[in-house]
Amino acid sequence: MSKDSPNFRDLVLDFVQQVPAGKVATYGQIAALAGSPRAGRIVGGILSSLGMEESHIPWWRIVNRHGYLSIKGHSADIKDFQRELLLRENVQVNDEYLVDLRQFGWQGLSF
DNA sequence: TTTCCGGCTGATT
DNA sequence: GAATCAGCCGGAA
């Protein structure tokens, strides 16, 4: 791997940080922006690997294509934590950990 | 180095 | 809408 070439990881993190508060983005969205529309799973893997250390990255604003908090985390309460963070940003999350992408989907970039 | 799995997505059936 | 297939890139074994 060349270190002078921007990896997917770096690009993904950069885009995730550009997600405005009160909005959520999908893995595919970020992946597409990073250059690979099918690499959504990589985005998930990256965010999970980051952990809370990279707190400057709003990983909690990343949900899957259905608006579901697909985060796996190391604890079963991680989703509840993410839900609270989103609710605090005026993002409605129901009991199923589902977000209404029609309303909060981040479509201010490619859409 | 190779191989396999995975927090996904889009297209097709 | 649900099920299936293939492609994407990274990390662990």
Side-chain angles (χ1 to χ4, degrees):
Chain A
M1 300 193 234
S2 310
K3 47 187 170 178
D4 54 274
S5 298
N7 291 333
F8 223 74
R9 208 189 97 124
D10 299 313
L11 292 172
V12 167
L13 297 178
D14 189 45
F15 284 116
V16 172
Q17 291 178 79
Q18 293 179 52
V19 178
K23 292 282 184 174
V24 295
T26 65
Y27 295 104
Q29 172 94 52
I30 299 299
L33 290 170
S36 297
R38 308 301 161 90
R41 46 169 69 182
I42 311 306
V43 177
I46 291 167
L47 296 178
S48 63
S49 299
L50 288 175
M52 310 293 182
E53 302 302 304
E54 318 296 323
S55 56
H56 52 98
I57 298 177
W59 56 266
W60 56 87
R61 297 192 194 133
I62 310 304
V63 297
N64 73 7
R65 153 138 190 51
H66 303 286
Y68 179 74
L69 310 190
S70 59
I71 199 157
K72 187 154 64 171
H74 310 80
S75 300
D77 302 305
I78 186 67
K79 284 195 293 229
D80 196 47
F81 176 55
Q82 181 176 9
R83 172 143 109 9
E84 290 299 305
L85 288 167
L86 292 173
L87 288 172
R88 191 195 287 191
E89 298 183 335
N90 297 308
V91 176
Q92 294 171 20
V93 182
N94 64 27
D95 298 332
E96 300 287 313
Y97 299 102
L98 200 63
V99 179
D100 188 349
L101 292 175
R102 296 172 303 177
Q103 269 186 94
F104 307 103
W106 183 44
Q107 303 169 35
L109 218 74
S110 40
F111 246 36

